[in-house]
């Protein structure tokens, strides 16, 4: 068996992961971040309950009574229509004179801080976000508390991280840990929260980041049992029938939910575009959205507030028929308008309610199942399609209901829903907000090809070199006379070990008289530091060394320190071009036409990869 060569001294041995002992302080801080998430959840839910009970019932309580107040003839009092608008006035003032970052549902802002802000959130956001969200939801806003809690828990963890000497990547890990702990605190779904981090927030899959997030979520799941509602939050004990007919129903409902997800996203940003055309300051937009919420709440009070009791009724099968249709329509309209107006609130609970209502409406035409079954499938599908996080939505449904039997149906529906939205829309409801601010991010994870290619595999070999005894004059003549095929050459001693690098810039300086023609190259360049690469090193390490050393070419040495090749910027670009070829080159290896050889490339001539930007850059280099 062939064994890998031992790396020279000073070069870190390769392994599956790059995680080191820095993991221990991160895990310790993640324990605190988990507690912060539970605290944020407890405080925000109590604030929402207090404001709701005060404005609708006139009582000092945190019990979170049904929003809308006392009903008469199935409708709340007419004056309650103005309550959401009144809360929106306060939120608009807070956003304008406090911090504009409190607008929206929190997750896009968290993503933006993670990707672009060095994972740093300020104290003002940590204070104003939960207050504004409590006012918004407590005065009838059709939002969930989880988005604001995710933002608040992340902000608290970010402030904690800023008290210590940490890298941006480590701060990001703690911010996500606090955010996902907040989600765990609300719903009691630690596994789904960890998957939310992986699918949506971390933008990487490393033990350095996943383990602290898991610690924070597990901590939150344990602590919430003592201060919040024990999990599962909305139990579903029905059985599951697994057969081809029911499977078609799962997928069919997932496809419909995918269309609904796309429609909701279009509605939200269509409302936002409409508000932007108004000749008034954006601080007044939530007031107009609040009026729409108030009117919708008069028609169906169930559409107001967090709606967690509605989720329980949908799963119990007691909310169906015309009531489910009315809830779906009213909730969808007021939620899209209110969110588009820029007020503060979350998206998870509304998506669950609308997805559950869709499932309840579709249940009569679906194969027979336990009461509430199609509602839970619709919830997972709507969440998975809208957020494009099908694994999160699947485990979320399982943990929310405490029923592992639904695993297969909900993942089938969630995947179908995500497939629809991915094909129909370029952005999700979360990333569209970031794109509108001028930033681009991709949700596709892949391994950097430079991280798995070794220097010895991509180097140009053998390397053309110059001897240490060559004079500066001869080097000038080589470059000026047209004999130089490259922009720089390694200078090696008698044993083939590199001692320096001669470039065109050196030659131009020497022509100006900086060094006498009789001086040898060993003397002229031998005293300068020379970055080299060991042939067993990974290309990504070499690329970093090339960047920090500001050198366009790096000699590659073997185990004995002798030069065996050289790597240029073009060699690094070619590695990435192989990935492009793997995505575009289509070949058939069986059932090919006689005499045609292997199958040709779709859309290309003679099986060649079409010209790309990467190729053009390589040509210039």
């Amino acid at each position: 068996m062939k064994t890998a060569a031992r790396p020279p001294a000073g070069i870190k041995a390769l392994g599956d992961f790059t995680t080191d002992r820095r993991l221990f302080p991160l895990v310790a801080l993640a324990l605190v971040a988990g507690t912060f998430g539970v605290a944020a959840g407890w405080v925000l839910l109590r604030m929402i309950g207090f404001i709701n009970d005060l404005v609708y019932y006139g009582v000092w309580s945190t019990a979170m009574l049904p929003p809308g107040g006392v009903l008469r003839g199935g409708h709340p009092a007419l004056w309650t229509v103005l309550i959401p608008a009144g809360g929106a006035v306060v939120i608009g003032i807070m956003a304008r004179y406090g911090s504009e970052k409190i607008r929206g549902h929190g997750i896009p802002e968290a993503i933006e801080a993670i990707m672009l802000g060095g994972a740093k959130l300020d104290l003002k956001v940590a204070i104003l976000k939960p207050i504004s969200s409590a006012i918004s939801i407590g005065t009838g806003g059709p939002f969930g508390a989880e988005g604001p809690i995710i933002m608040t828990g992340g902000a608290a963890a970010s402030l904690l991280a800023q008290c210590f000497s940490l890298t941006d990547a480590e701060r990001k890990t703690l911010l996500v840990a606090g955010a996902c702990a907040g989600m765990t605190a609300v719903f009691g779904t630690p596994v789904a929260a960890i998957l939310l981090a992986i699918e949506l927030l971390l933008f990487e899959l490393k033990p350095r980041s996943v383990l602290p997030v898991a610690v924070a979520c597990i901590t939150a799941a344990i602590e919430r049992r003592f201060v919040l509602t024990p999990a599962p939050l909305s139990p579903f004990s029905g059985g599951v029938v697994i057969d081809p007919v029911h499977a078609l129903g799962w997928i069919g409902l997932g496809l419909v939910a995918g269309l609904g997800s796309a429609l909701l996203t279009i509605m939200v940003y269509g409302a936002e575009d409409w508000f932007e055309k108004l000749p008034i300051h954006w601080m007044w937009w939530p007031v107009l959205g609040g009026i729409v919420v108030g009117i919708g709440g008069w028609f169906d009070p169930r559409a107001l507030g967090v709606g967690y009791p509605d989720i329980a009724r949908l799963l119990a099968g007691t909310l169906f028929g015309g009531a489910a249709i009315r809830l779906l329509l009213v909730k969808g309209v007021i939620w899209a308008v209110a969110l588009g107006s820029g007020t503060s609130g979350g998206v998870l609970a509304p998506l669950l309610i609308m997805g559950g209502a869709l499932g309840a409406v579709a249940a009569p035409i679906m194969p027979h199942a336990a009461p509430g079954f199609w509602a839970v499938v619709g919830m997972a599908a709507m969440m998975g399609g809208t957020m494009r996080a099908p694994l999160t939505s699947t485990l979320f449904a399982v943990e929310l209901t405490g029923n592992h039997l639904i695993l297969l149906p909900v993942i089938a529906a969630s995947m179908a829903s995500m497939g629809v939205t991915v094909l129909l829309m370029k952005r999700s409801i979360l990333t569209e907000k970031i794109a509108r601010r001028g930033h681009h991010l991709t949700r596709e994870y892949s391994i950097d090809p430079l991280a798995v290619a070794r220097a010895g595999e991509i180097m140009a070999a053998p390397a053309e070199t110059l001897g240490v005894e060559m004079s500066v004059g001869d080097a000038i003549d080589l470059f000026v006379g047209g004999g130089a095929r490259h922009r720089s050459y390694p200078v090696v001693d008698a044993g083939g070990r590199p001692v320096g690098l001669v470039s065109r810039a050196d030659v131009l300086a020497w022509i100006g008289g900086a060094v006498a023609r009789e001086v040898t190259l060993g003397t002229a360049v031998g005293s300068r530091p020379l970055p080299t690469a060991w042939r067993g090193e990974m290309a990504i390490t070499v690329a970093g060394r090339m960047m920090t050393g500001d050198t366009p070419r790096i000699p590659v040495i073997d185990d004995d320190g002798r030069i065996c090749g050289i790597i240029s910027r073009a060699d690094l670009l070619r590695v990435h071009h192989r990935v492009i070829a793997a995505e575009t080159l289509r070949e058939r290896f069986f059932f090919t036409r006689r005499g045609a050889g292997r199958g040709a490339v779709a859309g290309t001539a003679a099986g060649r990869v079409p010209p790309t930007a990467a190729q053009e850059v390589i040509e210039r280099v």
Side-chain angles (χ1 to χ4, degrees):
M1 179 182 294
K2 183 179 180 180
T3 58
R6 185 181 298 275
I11 295 180
K12 188 175 181 180
L14 299 176
D16 293 343
F17 302 109
T18 58
T19 304
D20 55 23
R21 294 179 181 177
R22 289 291 301 171
L23 178 65
F24 294 113
L26 285 179
V27 167
L29 291 173
L31 288 168
V32 182
T35 301
F36 281 179
V38 175
W42 187 88
V43 170
L44 183 55
L45 291 174
R46 293 300 181 275
M47 289 173 62
I48 293 172
F50 173 76
I51 295 173
N52 174 83
D53 297 353
L54 181 63
V55 299
Y56 281 108
Y57 294 90
V59 298
W60 293 76
S61 166
T62 60
M64 200 179 297
L65 300 171
V70 179
L71 303 183
R72 295 179 178 85
H75 301 285
L78 191 59
W79 63 269
T80 61
V81 170
L82 299 177
I83 290 179
V89 172
V90 180
I91 296 169
I93 294 173
M94 293 175 63
R96 181 172 183 180
Y97 298 105
S99 173
E100 191 176 346
K101 292 182 179 179
I102 67 173
R103 303 176 67 208
H105 49 90
I107 298 180
E109 289 73 23
I111 294 175
E112 191 171 11
I114 291 166
M115 297 299 295
L116 305 169
K120 290 180 284 189
L121 293 171
D122 55 35
L123 181 62
K124 188 183 296 184
V125 174
I127 295 174
L128 294 181
K129 184 64 178 180
I131 295 175
S132 64
S133 299
I135 294 172
S136 173
I137 302 170
T139 56
F143 306 111
E146 63 291 327
I149 291 177
I150 285 174
M151 184 69 169
T152 304
S158 173
L159 292 173
L160 171 68
Q162 292 176 56
C163 296
F164 299 89
S165 179
L166 301 174
T167 65
D168 283 357
E170 291 169 338
R171 277 194 303 274
K172 175 190 74 173
T173 296
L174 291 177
L175 188 156
V176 176
C180 294
M183 175 178 168
T184 301
V186 177
F187 290 110
T189 54
V191 179
I194 295 170
L195 289 174
L196 179 73
I198 294 172
E199 287 192 296
L200 194 62
L201 298 176
L202 283 174
F203 293 92
E204 65 180 18
L205 185 56
K206 297 181 179 180
R208 187 275 318 278
S209 54
V210 174
L211 288 177
V213 170
V215 168
C217 292
I218 294 169
T219 300
I222 294 172
E223 292 179 350
R224 76 175 301 278
R225 296 178 61 86
F226 301 99
V227 294
L228 294 168
T229 305
L233 194 63
S234 302
F236 171 74
S237 57
V240 176
V241 178
I242 299 178
D243 60 31
V245 175
H246 282 77
L248 290 176
W250 311 334
I251 297 172
L253 184 56
L255 296 175
V256 174
L259 295 174
S261 298
L263 178 61
L264 287 173
T265 303
I266 293 171
M267 289 171 59
V268 167
Y269 289 104
E272 182 177 296
D273 293 338
W274 182 82
F275 280 110
E276 288 179 350
K277 296 176 182 178
L278 296 178
I280 57 176
H281 194 277
W282 55 257
M283 69 173 288
W284 301 112
W285 298 354
V287 178
L288 299 179
I291 294 173
V292 175
V293 171
I295 295 173
W298 186 84
F299 282 102
D300 191 352
R302 284 186 297 254
L304 299 174
V306 292
Y308 298 150
D310 296 329
I311 296 175
R313 284 192 287 269
L314 286 165
L315 294 180
T318 58
L319 182 54
F320 56 88
I325 294 174
R326 185 167 63 252
L327 176 60
L328 174 61
L329 296 178
V330 174
K331 188 82 172 183
V333 171
I334 66 175
W335 174 76
V337 173
L339 198 61
S341 72
T343 193
S344 185
V347 301
L348 265 181
L351 291 176
L352 294 176
I353 293 170
M354 289 182 282
L358 176 65
V361 171
I365 62 173
M366 290 293 184
H368 178 73
F373 171 77
W374 292 111
V376 71
V377 173
M379 287 181 185
M382 188 69 77
M383 177 181 171
T386 307
M387 300 181 67
R388 296 181 180 179
L391 299 181
T392 299
S393 66
T394 297
L395 268 296
F396 185 89
V398 171
E399 291 184 293
L400 184 70
T401 61
N403 189 336
H404 70 278
L405 299 177
I406 64 172
L407 183 61
L408 183 61
V410 294
I411 196 169
S414 297
M415 288 293 181
S417 179
M418 185 192 70
V420 171
T421 59
V422 166
L423 293 174
L424 288 182
M425 306 190 70
K426 293 292 185 182
R427 303 283 185 182
S428 73
I429 197 170
L430 307 178
T431 56
E432 176 66 21
K433 174 72 70 175
I434 299 172
R436 287 178 173 227
R437 293 171 181 167
H439 308 299
H440 169 71
L441 59 86
T442 177
R443 296 274 307 279
E444 295 182 341
Y445 293 176
S446 60
I447 297 175
D448 189 335
L450 294 178
V452 293
R454 295 180 183 271
E457 296 169 352
I458 69 170
M459 67 183 183
E464 297 184 32
T465 61
L466 304 178
V468 292
E469 299 301 326
M470 182 182 228
S471 67
V472 166
D474 290 341
I476 293 175
D477 295 340
L478 176 67
F479 277 88
V480 174
R485 299 174 53 247
H486 306 290
R487 296 183 179 183
S488 57
Y489 287 86
V491 177
V492 299
D493 61 16
R497 295 177 176 83
V499 299
L501 198 70
V502 174
S503 66
R504 293 180 181 178
D506 295 323
V507 171
L508 291 175
W510 295 339
I511 291 174
V515 178
R517 290 179 61 89
E518 295 78 16
V519 174
T520 64
L521 295 183
T523 303
V525 301
S527 60
R528 297 187 305 206
L530 175 66
T532 60
W534 175 55
R535 65 179 180 181
E537 279 188 283
M538 306 316 296
I540 193 169
T541 306
V542 179
R545 192 172 302 146
M546 186 179 290
M547 179 64 67
T548 55
D550 193 24
T551 176
R553 307 181 85 202
I554 288 185
V556 181
I557 58 175
D558 60 18
D559 299 342
D560 297 322
R562 298 185 180 90
I563 190 168
C564 58
I566 194 165
I567 294 177
S568 66
R569 290 173 296 190
D571 296 320
L572 297 175
L573 289 172
R574 287 190 186 95
V575 177
H576 275 285
H577 184 61
R578 294 174 194 167
V579 177
I580 298 174
E583 292 282 352
T584 57
L585 182 64
R586 294 183 177 90
E587 296 178 288
R588 178 185 297 170
F589 293 90
F590 297 100
F591 306 109
T592 58
R593 293 191 305 272
R594 180 173 298 178
R598 292 204 305 215
V601 182
T604 64
R608 296 186 314 186
V609 180
T612 63
Q615 280 181 306
E616 295 173 2
V617 172
I618 291 173
E619 295 297 330
R620 289 198 298 270
V621 174

